[in-house]
Amino acid sequence: MSRRILIAGNWKMNCLQADGTALAADLASRMKSGSVKCDMLVCPPFTLLKGVLDAVAGSGIAVGGQDCHAAEKGAHTGDTSAWMLKDLGCAAVIVGHSERRTNHAETDAVVKAKAEAALAAGLMVIVCIGETLDERDAGKTLEVNRTQVQGSLPDGATAENTVIAYEPVWAIGTGRTATPDQAQEVHAAIRSELRGKLGEAAANGMRILYGGSMNAKNAADLLSQADIDGGLIGGAALKADDFWTIAQSCP
Ligand code: PEP
C-alpha cells in the first residue's frame, strides 16, 4: 500500500512573532512556486498558531499544535483543548512527545486520552513514542515501543486520522540519529503491532514518521526505508532551507 510521506516540523518553544511568521511565509512561498511529493505540516508554539495559519493560507501547508488537553473545556488553567485548536484552523496535533512525557510526567494513559480528544475534535493526531538510551542498551527497544503503541494509541484510530512518530529519546536534539537500519527495524515492529491491534488494512495504511535529529543530509536515506513514512523534525524545521531540503528528499 502506498502511504503519502508526511514532513512535519515541531518548532517546540522557539520563535517570536516576527521570525515565526517569516519562517512560515518563506515555506509558503516555496510551496507556491515549487513542488513537493509529500504532505507538509508545521507545529509552532500556541502563541504563533494564528500568525502561521495566516502566513501559510492557500499554500497547502497544514498547521498543528504541539499538545492539547484531554478535556473539551473547563478549569484547566494554562491548557489548550483540541477543540480550540480545531476552532483556530489547525488540522493536527502532536501528543506524547518525549519532552511532554518527561517534563510533565505524561503516561501512556494520558497520551491516549489526549489523542482521543484530538480525534473527537476532528484533528489528525500524531502520537509520539520512543525508547530511552537505557532502554535501548538493555535490549528493550522493541518491547518499549510495542507497549507504548498499545497504551497510547487512541480508540477509533484509523490510517487517515492517526500518525505514529517513532522518536528515540536519545536521538532528539542530540545530533545522534538512528541509522536507517535501526529506525526501519523499529518501524517494522510498530507496524506489526498495529497489524495485531487494528488489522492489516489500517496497519498498512498508517503513517509512521521517524523523528530524532533528522536533517537535510540524512533525510533521504531515512525516508527511503520501507516503513518510514515521513519525519517529525525539530531543530532542522527552524531553518527554511533545511526543512525544504528534507521535504524535497521524499522518494
Ligand atoms: C522533535 O522534537 O520531535 C525532534 C525530532 O527534534 P530534533 O529533530 O531536533 O531531534
Side-chain angles (χ1 to χ4, degrees):
M1 169 172 297
S2 79
R3 296 176 291 269
R4 190 166 163 83
I5 299 274
L6 171 62
I7 298 298
N10 172 16
W11 293 8
K12 310 195 191 200
M13 196 172 73
N14 290 298
C15 298
L16 299 179
Q17 292 193 65
D19 43 334
T21 49
L23 173 57
D26 188 339
L27 293 171
S29 89
R30 292 175 198 238
M31 278 291 277
K32 284 175 184 161
S33 54
S35 72
V36 290
K37 290 182 273 178
C38 58
D39 291 339
M40 298 277 280
L41 172 72
V42 291
C43 300
F46 289 124
T47 54
L48 298 184
L49 283 169
K50 182 73 175 84
V52 169
L53 277 159
D54 290 344
V56 302
S59 70
I61 299 176
V63 179
Q66 297 174 12
D67 179 47
C68 65
H69 196 276
E72 183 172 354
K73 59 184 174 180
H76 303 290
T77 303
D79 282 313
T80 302
S81 80
W83 285 262
M84 291 168 175
L85 293 174
K86 178 73 179 175
D87 180 52
L88 202 58
C90 289
V93 64
I94 299 167
V95 297
H97 191 283
S98 64
E99 287 153 13
R100 304 264 343 152
R101 290 179 184 260
T102 303
N103 300 346
H104 300 269
E106 292 189 2
T107 60
D108 281 342
V110 168
V111 174
K112 180 178 184 200
K114 290 183 173 201
E116 288 174 352
L119 297 189
L123 296 172
M124 183 181 83
V125 67
I126 299 179
V127 180
C128 301
I129 60 172
E131 81 285 358
T132 63
L133 190 55
D134 283 352
E135 289 164 340
R136 175 163 282 267
D137 288 345
K140 292 185 176 159
T141 296
L142 300 186
E143 178 193 328
V144 166
N145 283 285
R146 286 193 183 115
T147 302
Q148 289 185 359
V149 167
Q150 289 296 342
S152 309
L153 205 69
D155 287 349
T158 67
E160 289 72 37
N161 67 19
T162 302
V163 173
I164 308 272
Y166 166 57
E167 300 206 303
V169 179
W170 48 271
I172 296 179
T174 59
R176 191 179 156 192
T177 317
T179 65
D181 285 350
Q182 281 175 324
Q184 168 57 27
E185 181 193 20
V186 182
H187 281 234
I190 293 168
R191 198 172 308 284
S192 123
E193 197 66 20
L194 292 173
R195 212 164 268 131
K197 198 168 167 64
L198 303 175
E200 190 75 22
N204 286 344
M206 190 170 285
R207 292 180 287 191
I208 306 174
L209 314 185
Y210 170 79
S213 298
M214 187 184 269
N215 59 39
K217 290 206 176 90
N218 60 28
D221 282 346
L222 287 159
L223 294 170
S224 67
Q225 299 299 305
D227 288 288
I228 299 185
D229 310 312
L232 180 56
I233 297 123
L238 294 171
K239 294 182 198 122
D241 282 345
D242 289 359
F243 195 58
W244 189 247
T245 302
I246 293 170
Q248 291 192 308
S249 309
C250 295

